[in-house]
Amino acid sequence: MTYTNISGEKMVRVDMISEDLLASMTSAEKIRMILDGVMEGKILVLERGLMPEEEAKLIEATMVEISPEFVGIEMESYPAKERRSLMDRLFGRGKSQARLTVIGSPNQLKTIKKDRGLITALISEV
Amino acid sequence: MGMWSSLRGRFSLWVGKIFGRRSVKIGIYGPPNVGKTTLANRIIKDWSGEDMGAVSDIPHETRRVKRRRDVKINVDRSSIKLDIVDTPGLATKIDFRDFLSYGLEEEEAKKRAKEAAEGVIESIRWLDDLDGVLLVMDATEDPYTQVNITVIGNMEARRLPMLIVSNKIDLPTASPVKIIEAFPQHTVVPISALKGNNMDKLYDDIYEHFR
Ligand SMILES: Nc1nc2c(ncn2[C@@H]2O[C@H](COP(=O)(O)OP(=O)(O)OP(=O)(O)O)[C@@H](O)[C@H]2O)c(=O)[nH]1
Ligand SMILES: [Mg+2]
């Protein structure tokens, strides 16, 4: 979604979505919100990313929409950090922690470098 | 899945394996062009003399999941029977324009993009029906791609065994160390599926992890 400022320059909208808001949504709601947002040209920053199963569902939903006009999403997050206690490990319980995630249209969001502790990306208007 | 059905599933898998009746379903996953089909062909050729599917330097060559049943792998004095499942490369974006640079006509490129997207969906659906995964990465490329992170996360969440295959180590710019550093909690096996380097080590690890 491009906006213009007072001097007529184009600007990109970034939505920063809190962990709490995400936690209050169902998987289907999250995926719809992300896909609609990307299609509208927003850049989305999720404080805490999706669970791995949700990431897979998001990719699936993205693929359903692929067309010459919609080329998919650019998504960047860090590998999950396992934060499970010994008891959880023993009993196979507990979930690995989803982490900060940035999502946008591949036409707008370009990752130029990614390593263990730093994701560097460029954002442009559509 | 409930605890009981999960236990029952595990038990019947174990019984099947002990008596050598049931094959272990292994999915070969990864981004496009990393050498999944080349690896599937190598494994099947090594143990049954046949081929699995077409290989190409154009991404999204495999657009349908293919399963080759009952491939028996001998390790030392023991053996393991595998179903080898070659999957279409996973991606979060597919732009038909990318195929034009490989010399495809526009219509052909659009068709390939559509089939590739369907292939990704099929790959993801297969995750629910596997006993283990070989996640293939191109050792000349950055390992921290979203596809790699998503596959690893899904394997960890499903508690399924997984081996990371660091492919194309025959190339001068290959850096399997980068992959090992990126995913320290997993076993990484450096190979060349094309040249056949280090395949014995991979078969040993397959036996150890998926048995
Ligand atoms: N140098 C080198 N090239 C390889 C190796 N393995 C595969 N390749 C080449 O990489 C390209 C892609 O190989 P494929 O086996 O088709 O890759 P894929 O992962 O099945 O690709 P998709 O089906 O498109 O997802 C081909 O040109 C292969 O010859 C390897 O170990 N070394
Ligand atoms: Mg292939």
Side-chain angles (χ1 to χ4, degrees):
Chain A
M1 206 177 281
T2 24
Y3 296 83
T4 43
N5 68 8
I6 214 154
S7 32
E9 291 158 338
K10 291 200 172 133
M11 306 187 85
V12 179
R13 171 165 159 178
V14 181
D15 280 5
M16 284 165 260
I17 302 160
S18 73
E19 183 180 354
D20 294 349
L21 176 58
L22 278 174
S24 73
M25 300 169 81
T26 65
S27 295
E29 284 171 332
K30 290 181 215 173
I31 287 165
R32 200 62 260 166
M33 173 191 70
I34 291 168
L35 271 184
D36 288 349
V38 172
M39 284 175 174
E40 289 165 16
K42 291 180 200 167
I43 302 294
L44 304 170
V45 180
L46 314 186
E47 182 183 13
R48 173 110 342 133
L50 303 173
M51 297 309 296
E53 296 94 330
E54 292 175 331
E55 276 179 10
K57 275 191 202 141
L58 174 62
I59 295 177
E60 229 183 298
T62 303
M63 290 299 125
V64 171
E65 309 267 359
I66 290 284
S67 72
E69 292 75 42
F70 179 72
V71 298
I73 60 174
E74 178 78 37
M75 168 162 65
E76 295 297 347
S77 63
Y78 294 103
K81 237 195 297 209
E82 290 234 48
R83 258 202 234 132
R84 290 183 293 128
S85 68
L86 181 65
M87 288 303 271
D88 284 347
R89 275 166 205 264
L90 280 176
F91 291 100
R93 286 189 312 220
K95 297 195 164 164
S96 52
Q97 296 271 311
R99 303 177 67 189
L100 176 81
T101 301
V102 184
I103 305 174
S105 161
N107 297 327
Q108 287 182 273
L109 181 66
K110 294 249 181 309
T111 309
I112 48 180
K113 195 168 173 293
K114 188 169 181 185
D115 63 33
R116 225 177 164 67
L118 178 69
I119 298 171
T120 306
L122 301 176
I123 299 175
S124 64
E125 36 170 296
V126 193
Chain B
M1 195 165 35
M3 173 117 145
W4 171 239
S5 65
S6 154
L7 274 178
R8 203 172 39 193
R10 264 161 216 253
F11 183 72
S12 74
L13 173 65
W14 178 74
V15 168
K17 282 193 290 202
I18 294 271
F19 294 101
R21 265 187 271 116
R22 191 183 180 288
S23 284
V24 183
K25 279 200 235 57
I26 302 300
I28 303 184
Y29 277 76
N33 226 27
V34 293
K36 297 178 295 302
T37 304
T38 307
L39 174 60
N41 285 342
R42 165 74 57 188
I43 296 174
I44 292 161
K45 192 158 253 157
D46 278 354
W47 301 102
S48 76
E50 289 158 44
D51 242 357
M52 182 111 191
V55 164
S56 157
D57 57 350
I58 312 179
H60 298 288
E61 180 64 18
T62 309
R63 298 187 291 284
R64 277 281 165 84
V65 171
K66 267 198 189 170
R67 156 147 62 147
R68 178 72 167 73
R69 288 169 199 266
D70 300 333
V71 180
K72 195 172 159 213
I73 289 180
N74 298 311
V75 177
D76 292 332
R77 252 164 271 128
S78 193
S79 71
I80 179 173
K81 220 161 48 176
L82 307 177
D83 279 8
I84 300 290
V85 182
D86 182 28
T87 68
L90 293 175
T92 62
K93 53 189 177 194
I94 298 172
D95 189 342
F96 81 92
R97 294 161 198 92
D98 293 341
F99 301 135
L100 300 177
S101 59
Y102 292 93
L104 268 66
E105 296 296 331
E106 182 159 326
E107 277 320 299
E108 209 183 334
K110 282 182 178 164
K111 182 164 169 269
R112 191 182 182 93
K114 189 167 180 297
E115 290 174 0
E118 288 163 3
V120 172
I121 295 171
E122 205 185 334
S123 293
I124 292 173
R125 296 207 170 137
W126 262 88
L127 280 174
D128 292 325
D129 295 307
L130 297 169
D131 302 313
V133 158
L134 295 174
L135 173 56
V136 184
M137 301 185 191
D138 183 331
T140 67
E141 283 173 16
D142 177 14
Y144 288 98
T145 64
Q146 192 56 46
V147 163
N148 290 342
I149 291 171
T150 300
V151 173
I152 290 174
N154 274 274
M155 289 295 104
E156 287 172 349
R158 288 172 164 83
R159 322 214 130 265
L160 283 176
M162 178 186 74
L163 281 175
I164 297 177
V165 177
S166 159
N167 192 30
K168 308 197 184 182
I169 54 162
D170 57 290
L171 296 175
T173 55
S175 173
V177 173
K178 252 196 198 157
I179 299 178
I180 294 166
E181 281 170 1
F183 306 107
Q185 69 276 42
H186 293 286
T187 307
V188 179
V189 194
I191 64 156
S192 166
L194 188 68
K195 303 274 161 71
N197 301 344
N198 214 26
M199 290 300 292
D200 286 343
K201 173 78 169 72
L202 180 62
Y203 294 133
D204 283 347
D205 283 332
I206 287 177
Y207 181 77
E208 284 304 320
H209 278 71
F210 301 134
R211 177 168 52 139

